[in-house]
Amino acid sequence: MGNSRAYPVFRTTDPAEAYARAERLRALLAHCEDEVGLSAELLTAADVRRAAEVLPGARFHYLDARTGPAGEYLRFELDPRTADDAALAPRLPLDVQVDAPTGSVEERFAAAVGRGRGTAAVDWHGRWPDDPETGSVGSPKYDGVQIVFHGDSAQWGGWTEHHTVFVHVSKFGDEPRARKLAAAVGAEVLGEAQLGW
């Protein structure tokens, strides 16, 4: 049980640059899972439309639970690709959380949510290679790379202008491994380890 430790290793206001750096880190994984996790808070109608264009068929949800007159939970039922702003506005904010095949949509998703007003993330889970030099071994439950768009917390926090790339390692932390991985892509550990996934 427990969570990974996430080390922030790169920050920028350019979503494409954040994506490119994270992609270089992902290439260092000895194994990357077949699916990538994509999630976003969608605060405007434009945010919703961009996400719907990149993720056709994805289910959108109210960011906060909503109930009807009899106390029943309401579901978001509109098609965001065809609903006009007047129909979407009272239903905002929304969120979307999907898994997609790794390598299929991440770059387009990054471009869409990087221009948005909400926080979003791309999560690649995998396993770092064993590293006899640092004594580090891969941990498939905890290892991976994450981009948080408009945020500087691996668990999401307040909105920021910048985007942060995280290296996730074992639940006990492994700063030497994080430093070595960051250096391999021209980055560096930018702060203390955070609670990860």
Side-chain angles (χ1 to χ4, degrees):
M1 299 300 289
N3 294 76
S4 66
R5 291 297 173 257
Y7 292 88
V9 297
F10 187 72
R11 271 194 195 102
T12 179
T13 56
D14 181 348
E17 189 177 5
Y19 177 80
R21 197 66 56 113
E23 184 64 30
R24 289 174 56 200
L25 279 165
R26 183 179 74 89
L28 299 177
L29 288 165
H31 169 75
C32 185
E33 291 186 5
D34 293 338
E35 290 190 326
V36 60
L38 307 168
S39 51
E41 297 174 341
L42 307 165
L43 307 182
T44 69
D47 293 347
V48 173
R49 282 195 224 314
R50 281 193 301 273
E53 183 179 316
V54 172
L55 304 171
R59 292 245 349 124
F60 292 79
H61 305 277
Y62 292 115
L63 187 60
D64 300 310
R66 297 187 185 187
T67 56
E72 74 278 16
Y73 284 102
L74 300 177
R75 296 176 64 177
F76 178 75
E77 299 291 347
L78 295 177
D79 181 345
R81 290 166 299 181
T82 58
D84 63 19
D85 287 359
L88 284 173
R91 291 167 172 84
L92 297 172
L94 300 175
D95 76 351
V96 63
Q97 296 180 1
V98 299
D99 292 327
T102 297
S104 66
V105 71
E106 298 98 302
E107 189 169 9
R108 289 182 295 130
F109 181 79
V113 299
R115 296 184 325 198
R117 296 303 304 163
T119 304
V122 175
D123 301 333
W124 289 283
H125 292 259
R127 182 180 54 77
W128 297 116
D130 294 342
D131 184 357
E133 187 179 301
T134 62
S136 299
V137 294
S139 177
K141 181 175 179 180
Y142 302 108
D143 292 351
V145 179
Q146 177 185 41
I147 312 168
V148 176
F149 295 94
H150 298 296
D152 53 17
S153 172
Q155 292 281 325
W156 296 26
W159 189 91
T160 67
E161 280 288 333
H162 57 260
H163 318 294
T164 306
V165 177
F166 292 90
V167 167
H168 287 255
V169 297
S170 82
K171 69 179 181 177
F172 303 108
D174 190 343
E175 189 168 340
R177 177 183 284 271
R179 288 191 184 287
K180 190 171 182 179
L181 290 166
V185 299
E188 63 183 330
V189 172
L190 301 175
E192 297 294 318
Q194 299 180 18
L195 189 64
W197 48 52

